[in-house]
Amino acid sequence: MKKKMWAPLFLLLALVVSACGNNANNNNAGASQSAGESASPSASASASPSAGASASADASGTIAYESENGPVEVPAAPKRIIALSSAPNVLSLGGTLVGVDQWTAGNPLFKDKVQGVEIVSAENLEKIIELNPDLIIVGSTEKNIDKLKEIAPTVVYTWGKLDYLKQQIEIGKLLNKEQEAQAWADDFSKRAADIGAEIKAKAGADVTVTVFELFDKQFYVFGNNWARGTEIVYQAMGLGMPEKVKKDALGPGYYTLSTEVLPEYAGDYIILSRSATGDNGALNTDTWKNMPAVKAGHVIEIDTEASSYSDPTTLEYLLNIFKEGILGKA
């Protein structure tokens, strides 16, 4: 077994970070939370002091948004947003995108929402200029940030600096919709906690859950802030994490596993992230089939491509899957 940074995993994963899937030292997209700072990237590390926007717009229709790099004058009601990071968070608040990163565009939860929106990157400056944005959102590891700032007001986010709820609230401040973002965060937290309490009442207060991913014949196990619903299960619901997972994955965010040791990491319930188009032959092994959670039918499968952010749309989608998978009700 060997823990390692693996580029293809990040490209598939998160912001990301929204997005989505939250470890600043192992980022580049929250494991697709993004691929491009979206993990999942979904994509949310431990909370840190939040940035903010001024409550009032000045006469020119702008607000002073206090970003992690200092104040930025941004439109009070941006109409032409290019989101190279945190695009799912922007969409959840009704933001109007004219440019988006390729990972959000390819996510099945957002394909319909970004139809007609140009797919761009920080390296495609000419296209960005043509799109005439009034606001650009970008991850801190992207190239050409200084050049982007010359095109339009540009706000930079470091993936993993804020947890998944604070990141959404921060996007709310940026779009002058902080109350809306805060209301969602409060409501989601309560609903998820209530479902977690129901699960504990059914399965026991010490019930444990493991989040595995099978990608390109390789297994991974995730900590509590690496998208794939980890924020929901461990943070919002308060469900238990097996000791081996705590030891190896909680700090770095994820850990690479060989098939033979999977039982050492498996909890009472297993959430399995996998691609419908991937090679899933490892699920036919005796090691997988003989794990207690598998034999008991306690495996909840999720689509990797749809679960790699930690924005409201993804979180609501996964919360319903987990509720139905464990409690048997939608």
Side-chain angles (χ1 to χ4, degrees):
M1 257 183 334
K2 182 180 180 183
K3 182 176 72 180
K4 60 184 180 181
M5 297 296 296
W6 191 52
L9 175 65
F10 289 120
L11 293 180
L12 176 64
L13 298 166
L15 150 32
V16 354
V17 187
S18 324
C20 208
N22 290 350
N23 185 298
N25 294 323
N26 285 316
N27 73 351
N28 210 358
S32 189
Q33 209 175 347
S34 112
E37 299 230 2
S38 314
S40 71
S42 222
S44 316
S46 60
S48 68
S50 170
S54 66
S56 60
D58 66 21
S60 63
T62 65
I63 59 175
Y65 175 74
E66 191 61 40
S67 77
E68 63 183 61
N69 296 324
V72 181
E73 287 293 323
V74 301
K79 302 297 184 183
R80 301 185 62 81
I81 304 168
I82 290 181
L84 304 179
S85 174
S86 302
N89 303 79
V90 172
L91 289 168
S92 72
L93 288 168
T96 303
L97 297 179
V98 295
V100 70
D101 65 284
Q102 63 174 314
W103 308 107
T104 302
N107 187 305
L109 296 183
F110 304 109
K111 281 183 177 179
D112 291 344
K113 297 181 179 181
V114 297
Q115 279 190 347
V117 176
E118 290 281 350
I119 299 175
V120 293
S121 74
E123 297 181 355
N124 196 348
L125 295 174
E126 290 185 5
K127 173 58 69 175
I128 290 175
I129 291 172
E130 290 177 6
L131 292 173
N132 190 30
D134 57 7
L135 175 64
I136 299 173
I137 303 172
V138 65
S140 62
T141 62
E142 290 281 10
K143 298 178 180 179
N144 297 324
I145 291 178
D146 287 341
K147 293 180 180 178
L148 292 173
K149 291 178 180 179
E150 295 175 1
I151 298 172
T154 298
V155 173
V156 179
Y157 291 112
T158 298
W159 183 81
K161 190 169 186 177
L162 300 175
D163 70 27
Y164 69 110
L165 294 176
K166 289 184 181 296
Q167 183 62 46
Q168 179 62 15
I169 294 168
E170 204 58 36
I171 297 295
K173 294 176 182 178
L174 176 62
L175 301 184
N176 216 10
K177 296 184 177 183
E178 181 180 0
Q179 289 187 342
E180 183 178 335
Q182 183 69 62
W184 172 83
D186 293 343
D187 178 63
F188 179 83
S189 297
K190 182 181 184 306
R191 286 185 286 117
D194 289 345
I195 293 171
E198 284 189 66
I199 291 172
K200 290 178 183 179
K202 172 186 176 181
D206 58 351
V207 64
T208 58
V209 180
T210 299
V211 182
F212 286 129
E213 182 163 294
L214 177 58
F215 179 74
D216 197 23
K217 302 181 182 179
Q218 179 69 65
F219 276 101
Y220 302 86
V221 65
F222 296 99
N224 68 352
N225 54 12
W226 209 258
R228 287 105 177 132
T230 54
E231 294 89 351
I232 301 173
V233 172
Y234 299 122
Q235 296 186 44
M237 287 183 177
L239 303 182
M241 178 184 291
E243 289 302 317
K244 285 285 286 183
V245 180
K246 288 182 184 178
K247 177 178 179 293
D248 294 330
L250 186 58
Y254 75 94
Y255 194 74
T256 308
L257 300 174
S258 62
T259 303
E260 293 73 20
V261 302
L262 289 176
E264 299 176 26
Y265 294 81
D268 300 312
Y269 285 84
I270 292 172
I271 294 170
L272 176 63
S273 167
R274 69 184 183 95
S275 172
T277 60
D279 185 337
N280 298 302
L283 302 181
N284 295 320
T285 64
D286 289 340
T287 300
W288 176 263
K289 291 180 178 180
N290 289 329
M291 288 193 294
V294 177
K295 294 175 74 172
H298 291 173
V299 178
I300 302 164
E301 293 194 7
I302 59 176
D303 178 7
T304 297
E305 286 79 6
S307 60
S308 56
Y309 289 91
S310 298
D311 66 283
T313 300
T314 303
L315 292 169
E316 295 286 2
Y317 164 75
L318 291 175
L319 181 63
N320 288 333
I321 291 176
F322 298 161
K323 180 181 178 181
E324 184 174 358
I326 299 177
L327 294 176
K329 58 183 181 180

